[in-house]
Amino acid sequence: MEKLFTTMLDLLHTDTIGSWVNGQIELGSGELIELINADDETVMLRYQDADPAIAATIDEAAQRAQQEWWAMPAKTRGRILYQIGTEIRKEAEALGWVESLSTNKPLNNAKAEILIVAEMFEYYAGWADKLHGEVIPVPTTHLNYVKYEAMGTILQMTPWNAAFFTAGWQVAPALAAGNAVILKPSELTPITSLMLGALIERAGAPKGLVNVVAGYGHTIGQTLIAKANIRKVCFVGSPKTGAHIATAAAKRCIPCVLELGGKSANIVFADANLDQAMKGAMAAIFGGSGQSCVSGSRLLVQESIFEKFVASVAKAAQQIRVGHPQHADSDIGPVNNRKQYDHICNMLAIGEQEGAKVVAGTTPIPERDGFYINPTVLAGNNQMTVAQEEIFGPVVVAIPFKDEADAIALANDSQFGLAGAVWTNDVARAHRVADQVKAGTFWINSYKTIHVSSPFGGYRNSGYGRSSGLEVLREYCEVKSVWVETSAQPAFSFNYGTVEG
Ligand code: NAD
């Protein structure tokens, strides 16, 4: 743990966790929160939940910083955003190590995610001075122009599975659009988000532009939604919490973007390149121990190849090295926390009761401490609980289908609509399937690639709004339409306009 304390001291000037507010750490005074090591279940750190009084301090700091930020030339904001990317790159080693320790991702995966976050800030740096308005060719004598203005302060709430990734994904575009941010990371993984807050300031952003609150969602999270001077809530997390948050925000007429869970269908036709489809199916579900919102957790396989294909996935799954996240020979680490571990074990038990066949994987792993789950392949049908509910672990349910229509019907027989994929060598079929599956992201002969430049978000219970690409910049703006009369003899009317005919 000494390395963790040194890293925190270097960047945050503290060896304990508090909230990053107006450029310094404010210790909480609430309930004790424990960060548990998922490998051996020992306590790594204890810290106190943020005090609700913090909301007022943040409001003041964020408001002042946002006005300063918005008053800067857009080009200067862009340069600072780019510099944030540079600061992240400089600290990639330390950030990657802490992220691996907190999320239990293997070190290499965690480090790779840090660099992706640097790229997010670099990408939105380029947008800062290109977010310009439009002139609308209205059919009256007016000049009508549209301006995009910053909203003010945005509250962003992120989950534990990809703490730093989701923080960057949320914060970078909100800043590019000229806003201040209150970031409330999961109470289980706050450290790299706090480090991000410090690096943003080191890059030259005004103090208080990004404030990071360390604490529980049901306490300080709810206080912020109910009391903070915010103009929007952007939430990444579970559907249940998302609904709860949207309800609380609606009471204040505050809009939300919700990025929620999924149960994505990964469809394999008999005519696909089956070796690539098998590798794709593995990457789709087992990366990050299956704790990814876009996981291909339903593997739909054409009947004629079902047994052989599923056996090949099961064989490959058994070769995945499950181990300590900081050991070089681990492909996946333990799942993040006790609650998640118990949930996965419970879902596996339900699967067994409902008749799902275990093709690979046994859990719990009897001889091992920690929250380790073996990569598991189940064979079942789409009505089973394990095929309908999010498991959020290294568990895939293989389901046979007859033909194209059947595959599409099964893919869409879900409350979710976050992502999906099809594997086939028939180009026309690939596009037909992509067209008909109700999901915000869809891959053809590929899986899991996302990029900050492309819009990301869900259909149905997977959420609403988009959190990347150009689309998200619109989410973070107020839109103003300005009408300028240009006629020397304007017409005045009791109606809404003066259009003839
Ligand atoms: P969660 O919903 O429990 O928590 C997410 C955030 O909400 C955390 O910051 C938490 O502290 C806060 N929170 C929890 N209860 C709250 C309450 N009552 N009021 C206010 N805030 C509250 O989610 P999780 O368990 O941390 O993450 C796993 C979930 O996140 C999965 O469902 C996964 O699919 C989803 N996820 C979605 C995406 C996406 O982009 N769609 C990305 C990553 C994770």
Side-chain angles (χ1 to χ4, degrees), residues 41 289 291 334-354 356 358 361-366 368-376 378 385-386 389-395:
E41 302 178 49
S289 298
Q291 299 165 110
V335 297
N336 184 270
N337 55 75
R338 160 66 60 189
K339 191 172 156 212
Q340 189 58 25
Y341 176 81
D342 289 346
H343 167 69
I344 298 168
C345 294
N346 185 38
M347 290 297 276
L348 289 170
I350 293 173
E352 201 182 329
Q353 280 160 23
E354 292 182 357
V358 181
T362 46
T363 294
I365 307 174
R368 197 161 199 175
D369 288 337
F371 310 137
Y372 287 96
I373 306 268
N374 273 328
T376 304
L378 304 176
T385 307
V386 284
E389 299 294 328
E390 194 178 33
I391 299 177
F392 216 54
V395 181

Side-chain angles (χ1 to χ4, degrees), residues 156-162 166 169-170 184-189 215-223 225 235-242 244-245 248 258-262 291-294 337 339-340 390 392 416 418 456-458 462-463 467:
Q156 302 181 324
M157 310 180 97
T158 50
W160 45 259
N161 64 310
T166 49
W169 194 251
Q170 298 289 313
K184 214 302 283 162
S186 166
E187 63 279 2
L188 300 171
T189 51
Y216 284 122
H218 66 275
T219 55
I220 188 65
Q222 282 294 326
T223 303
I225 299 172
F235 171 80
V236 187
S238 63
K240 196 171 153 214
T241 312
H244 200 52
I245 280 168
L258 300 182
E259 268 198 51
L260 309 176
Q291 299 165 110
S292 161
C293 53
V294 294
N337 55 75
K339 191 172 156 212
Q340 189 58 25
E390 194 178 33
F392 216 54
F416 296 108
L418 192 61
F456 182 82
S462 291
S467 50

Side-chain angles (χ1 to χ4, degrees), residues 68-339:
E68 192 185 328
W69 183 239
W70 188 233
M72 284 179 185
K75 191 172 165 181
T76 309
R77 289 202 300 271
R79 281 190 178 143
I80 295 174
L81 282 167
Y82 200 87
Q83 185 60 30
I84 298 171
T86 306
E87 297 297 336
I88 292 171
R89 286 181 193 281
K90 278 190 215 157
E91 301 295 344
E93 204 53 39
L95 284 162
W97 187 82
V98 177
E99 187 73 347
S100 167
L101 189 72
S102 336
T103 63
N104 305 295
K105 285 186 186 175
L107 209 47
N108 282 346
N109 297 6
K111 282 183 190 162
E113 283 193 7
I114 303 299
L115 299 181
I116 296 174
V117 172
E119 199 186 342
M120 292 174 193
F121 283 94
E122 289 156 0
Y123 172 77
Y124 282 110
W127 272 115
D129 62 356
K130 293 165 198 74
L131 190 61
H132 50 64
E134 290 134 21
V135 175
I136 311 292
V138 290
T140 68
T141 52
H142 297 85
L143 164 69
N144 175 235
Y145 62 90
V146 175
K147 290 182 71 186
Y148 293 95
E149 298 176 350
M151 299 183 92
T153 303
I154 311 291
L155 173 61
Q156 302 181 324
M157 310 180 97
T158 50
W160 45 259
N161 64 310
F164 196 67
F165 189 96
T166 49
W169 194 251
Q170 298 289 313
V171 173
L175 296 188
N179 300 287
V181 167
I182 305 173
L183 175 64
K184 214 302 283 162
S186 166
E187 63 279 2
L188 300 171
T189 51
I191 306 176
T192 47
S193 296
L194 291 165
M195 289 161 86
L196 178 65
L199 291 178
I200 287 173
E201 204 185 300
R202 197 162 95 181
K207 259 192 197 1
L209 188 68
V210 174
N211 303 280
V212 185
V213 179
Y216 284 122
H218 66 275
T219 55
I220 188 65
Q222 282 294 326
T223 303
L224 291 168
I225 299 172
K227 300 216 167 107
N229 186 8
I230 48 172
R231 296 310 322 144
K232 193 156 204 168
V233 180
C234 295
F235 171 80
V236 187
S238 63
K240 196 171 153 214
T241 312
H244 200 52
I245 280 168
T247 308
K251 287 185 182 149
R252 298 178 65 194
C253 285
I254 290 175
C256 291
V257 170
L258 300 182
E259 268 198 51
L260 309 176
K263 196 74 197 178
S264 301
N266 186 19
I267 307 168
V268 182
F269 281 92
D271 67 2
N273 177 328
L274 295 180
D275 182 48
Q276 286 182 13
M278 186 275 286
K279 289 177 182 146
M282 300 289 292
I285 183 67
F286 296 124
S289 298
Q291 299 165 110
S292 161
C293 53
V294 294
S295 280
S297 49
R298 287 187 299 150
L299 180 59
L300 309 189
V301 185
Q302 196 153 23
E303 267 173 2
S304 57
I305 56 159
F306 185 81
E307 275 196 29
K308 207 168 157 203
F309 186 80
V310 174
S312 74
V313 173
K315 188 171 168 206
Q318 281 158 340
Q319 282 156 14
I320 292 175
R321 296 165 305 173
V322 183
H324 193 290
Q326 265 102 51
H327 291 176
D329 55 0
S330 302
D331 296 320
I332 64 173
V335 297
N336 184 270
N337 55 75
R338 160 66 60 189
K339 191 172 156 212

